[in-house]
Each structure stands twice: as structure tokens, then as C-alpha cells.
Amino acid sequence: MKNKLDIFKNAQLLLDEPEVQQLLSYCESLEDELVEFKFEKANNKELIMLDMLKEVVKSCADIRQQEMDHERFGYDLPDYSEAIQNLSSYIFEMNRNSRLGL
């Protein structure tokens, strides 16, 4: 599954458009519903944690790839503070929604 922000990596200006913001918000709500569905289907917090950890690992791999691309082409390395903040928010939201007890 592709990170929704990766779709706009070559058109960052589109992220400021209200319709794109609305679409991203809708994607987030669908992701939340999917996680809730997985939990209801399995009723197993371990599966939710596993799914969350897979997403975190995938995001980290994506960031590493972006970093290598930046180094390869001589671009300045990006500021990862927003990525870290988003990752933290994702984990806390999953914890709250799924009552994982982290």
C-alpha cells in the first residue's frame, strides 16, 4: 500500500489545495475504519499492534529511501521533525482507538 503523501511527492503544491486536504482527511478516516474493522473481525489487539508496527516499519523504510535519494542527487536532507510528529500521532491515535494500553 502506498503512503498517501507519496502520491503528491512530485506535486507538493497540490497539498495546499482544499480538495486535496479533504481527500487526505477522507483517506485517514477510511484507514481508521479499516483498522476498526480488522479489530472487530479478529478481536485481537495483537493483530492491531502487528498491523501498526508493519505500517511504522514501512514508513521508516520509505524515509530511509528518501534520504538515500536525497544524498544520491545531492539535495539537502529533509527535516524529519514532521515525519516523527506524524508517526507519534499515528501511534497515539491507534492506541486510543484500539485501547491498546501503551
Side-chain angles (χ1 to χ4, degrees):
M1 182 158 89
K2 193 171 197 174
N3 182 326
K4 58 188 170 284
L5 293 178
D6 285 346
I7 296 169
F8 297 98
K9 70 181 175 185
N10 294 327
Q12 292 286 323
L13 293 176
L14 291 176
L15 290 173
D16 295 330
E17 294 295 325
E19 292 85 359
V20 173
Q21 289 295 321
Q22 191 175 15
L23 178 63
L24 291 175
S25 177
Y26 179 65
C27 286
E28 288 177 15
S29 68
L30 289 177
E31 289 170 352
D32 290 342
E33 286 180 29
L34 178 62
V35 168
E36 288 175 24
F37 175 73
K38 285 181 181 179
F39 178 69
E40 288 172 6
K41 183 178 176 185
N43 200 16
N44 187 338
K45 290 184 180 184
E46 289 177 7
L47 291 177
I48 294 173
M49 289 289 291
L50 181 61
D51 188 53
M52 183 174 63
L53 289 173
K54 285 180 182 179
E55 287 297 316
V56 169
V57 168
K58 183 185 176 310
S59 294
C60 290
D62 290 345
I63 289 172
R64 277 193 226 107
Q65 182 61 47
Q66 289 174 1
E67 187 176 57
M68 289 188 310
D69 290 345
H70 277 79
E71 288 176 359
R72 178 177 165 205
F73 295 111
Y75 299 134
D76 291 334
L77 292 177
D79 179 9
Y80 293 113
S81 59
E82 183 179 353
I84 292 169
Q85 183 180 10
N86 290 340
L87 179 60
S88 180
S89 295
Y90 171 72
I91 291 170
F92 287 121
E93 184 71 18
M94 287 289 296
N95 180 52
R96 185 179 63 79
N97 288 340
S98 302
R99 298 178 193 96
L100 298 172
L102 295 177

